[in-house]
Amino acid sequence: METDKDHLDFLLSYDTTDRVRNIVKPVKQETAHHLWKKYPGFLPEQYWKKNIFWSYGYFACSIWEESSAAIEGYIVSQGYLSQRTPTHSTG
């Protein structure tokens, strides 16, 4: 798992009989719960509804074994690249 400015990337293996939403939903629920407990003074200033942290959607795709190393490299580079990439303002 790695983070970027506005999203998280996960690479995981799961049983093909499982539904992706049944994996994503508890991750979002538990992390939102723990973040609200950890930052009770900050999050209410940012979010109008309690225990809301994540957007409703998610992106998921399947990969084959041969591509997992390339995807893992991409995920690992996410936070690193965003920290190193300068932002330019226009105007």
Side-chain angles (χ1 to χ4, degrees):
M1 178 182 81
E2 284 294 327
T3 63
D4 206 344
K5 291 179 184 179
D6 61 356
H7 67 276
L8 298 175
D9 292 304
F10 287 87
L11 178 61
L12 55 93
S13 177
Y14 64 94
D15 190 313
T16 57
T17 61
D18 291 334
R19 293 180 175 175
V20 174
R21 71 175 183 198
N22 291 342
I23 297 168
V24 173
K25 185 177 179 180
V27 169
K28 286 183 168 187
Q29 288 173 331
E30 290 295 317
T31 54
H33 174 76
H34 290 290
L35 287 168
W36 275 85
K37 282 180 70 172
K38 187 171 182 171
Y39 302 105
F42 176 73
L43 290 180
E45 297 172 2
Q46 308 301 315
Y47 298 95
W48 63 274
K49 192 172 181 184
K50 188 171 175 145
N51 292 329
I52 296 295
F53 186 78
W54 302 108
S55 65
Y56 291 109
Y58 60 88
F59 170 78
C61 68
S62 60
I63 61 170
W64 56 95
E65 190 64 33
E66 292 79 20
S67 66
S68 64
I71 300 295
E72 186 174 357
Y74 167 78
I75 289 171
V76 168
S77 72
Q78 286 296 289
Y80 176 80
L81 291 176
S82 68
Q83 292 172 4
R84 304 290 188 275
T85 304
T87 56
H88 301 284
S89 64
T90 58

